[in-house]
Amino acid sequence: MQQAREEKQLETALDAIIQRVNDLKSSMAAMIYKVENEYETMNWPTFLDNYALLSGHLTSLSKLMNHDKCPPLRNLTVLPLMLSPERDEQLVQNTEGRVTTFAHDLVPDYLRTKLEPMAETKMLQLEHKAANLNYDNAQKQVTAYQKVVSHVWDIVNKAREEWEVESSSRGTAQQNSSTQDTHVLVAAVGMGKGLKMVTNPNGQPNPSSGGMMVAPQGPGRPSAPPGQGPISSTPQTMMNKAPSAIKTNIKSATQIHPYGR
Amino acid sequence: MTGLGSAMDSLSAAVKCNIIPNQEYLLQGSVLDQYVEVLLHRLRGLCDNVDSGPESFHDHELCFTLRGSGPGSSMVLPLRVRRALDVPEAPWQLRYVGQHEIGDKNRPTVVRSSIDMACSSTIVEFLTELGCRMDFEYIARGYMFRKGRMKITVSKIFKMGSMTNKPGESVEPISQSYLVELSVLAPSGQDAIAEDMRVFAEQLKPLVELGKIDYKRANFP
């Protein structure tokens, strides 16, 4: 009873896995086809979409295999029951023509659970080398590697910190323009605000000029060297913020330098 | 006389057919001095004249007003004269710019009527003889970009110094920012271009916030 249930579970799990693997295979085939045949018209977004599709399939496959309902496949063994050097039509059909015979020279490769032979020999070589090293040498190499790795680690960390600072500063809406300046400029170009002549022909200060920034630079008055009047030493931004004080300053300035011309 | 008559005829025909670009679609904004290089760089990438680089200009603009003659008449006709300081042999430009039409929210840009023409340097004398009075003047120095029919100017506005007879000397900037203007001259009724401008302005955010600036509102403090 128990065994029957387990077998049924295994069967459904295998069916699901086969379906997922087929999905993955078809989308990989589609991508390869695209790369081979549409490489001239293909753009990055579609390429990345294809990648996203593949990784989605892979994720769902691994989710399926990690699922509680899925029996532990690791505990199962695949045994070749019969080898034959003759062509097996069913096998050809199942593998879409890739494997034609289930013979002794192919089976070890297809049913292999160990690493690839080349990787295996390489691993063996390395293990052999490691075993022959004496302790001091090994220790030295380990510390050297650790030094390099920690250095790289530091560099990467520093770069990441910089990126984070940059991106966070970008997030807080960097001020590139000032609305006040926009209005000052537009009003000046459009209506001459702050640009108009300070003096009328009759020598009176022009009330329409309005802007206090104009006053010290009127045509009737030679431009004062810095520091002569209280006004010229005041930065412009200050002047915008404190109009009342400035106006009195202008008055006193006109008394010192009456508009003669 | 016949020559003048036929010219008038063809002009009125052109007005009727609505082929005279007499409407200016306009968006305005500004960028702080320290970021102007970034903006220029971006404009270089976005605009048409990539190979030749941005066109620089250095212009002197004089704004005249012609007041209504009758007593109590409040009609004021503004006229602008512009000349290139860096290209002395270039013709001067006379320009009439009409009222700002802000419009409602659905309209992406300011629209104002605009007529301009080339003229000679005697225009100032001519206008003065007509009874125009100079209202104000300024120097604009900066760069011009093109994108299709759109014109983008990035300019520093300078106030004329005390030496009014020698423009270009003793000038001072009126703010710590560059004025940025995006404009198209088109025959009236071509409102589709305004939408293109809105899209283009969108690409310059957040560096520059190009918008419809109301002169009345801009007339603060």
Side-chain angles (χ1 to χ4, degrees), chain A residues 11-171:
Chain A
E11 210 159 287
T12 51
L14 276 181
D15 277 347
I17 289 172
I18 287 170
Q19 203 201 325
R20 293 295 148 89
V21 171
N22 272 328
D23 285 350
L24 185 63
K25 195 183 75 182
S26 62
S27 54
M28 273 164 82
M31 186 160 172
I32 290 169
Y33 179 84
K34 271 192 182 156
V35 170
E36 281 181 347
N37 295 294
E38 297 171 20
Y39 58 91
E40 275 173 348
T41 53
M42 203 164 153
N43 52 11
W44 270 110
T46 50
F47 192 76
L48 292 178
D49 279 353
N50 269 304
Y51 252 129
L53 201 64
L54 288 188
S55 80
H57 282 317
L58 280 173
T59 320
S60 71
L61 184 63
S62 63
K63 247 189 203 158
L64 192 77
M65 289 169 84
N66 287 330
H67 198 267
D68 298 337
K69 288 266 173 69
C70 186
L73 299 170
R74 194 188 295 272
N75 298 345
L76 301 172
T77 326
V78 181
L79 279 177
L81 292 179
M82 191 184 76
L83 301 179
S84 147
E86 272 160 41
R87 190 181 164 90
D88 185 341
E89 283 305 326
Q90 207 184 344
L91 188 66
V92 172
Q93 211 177 0
N94 276 345
T95 59
E96 294 172 357
R98 279 188 295 268
V99 183
T100 52
T101 54
F102 198 61
H104 63 281
D105 55 338
L106 289 171
V107 166
D109 286 345
Y110 283 114
L111 298 185
R112 192 181 176 85
T113 52
K114 285 193 192 168
L115 287 172
E116 212 185 324
M118 254 173 62
E120 205 172 359
T121 50
K122 194 133 198 187
M123 277 300 282
L124 255 171
Q125 274 175 12
L126 288 175
E127 270 168 20
H128 188 71
K129 207 175 163 187
N132 281 353
L133 264 174
N134 71 34
Y135 179 78
D136 279 354
N137 255 348
Q139 206 63 26
K140 254 185 213 163
Q141 282 190 3
V142 166
T143 42
Y145 270 125
Q146 253 169 2
K147 211 172 163 187
V148 170
V149 169
S150 66
H151 189 62
V152 171
W153 173 259
D154 280 353
I155 290 173
V156 170
N157 263 343
K158 211 174 155 193
R160 195 185 66 177
E161 253 171 49
E162 273 168 16
W163 285 336
E164 274 170 1
V165 166
E166 199 177 302
S167 61
S168 68
S169 71
R170 201 178 294 153

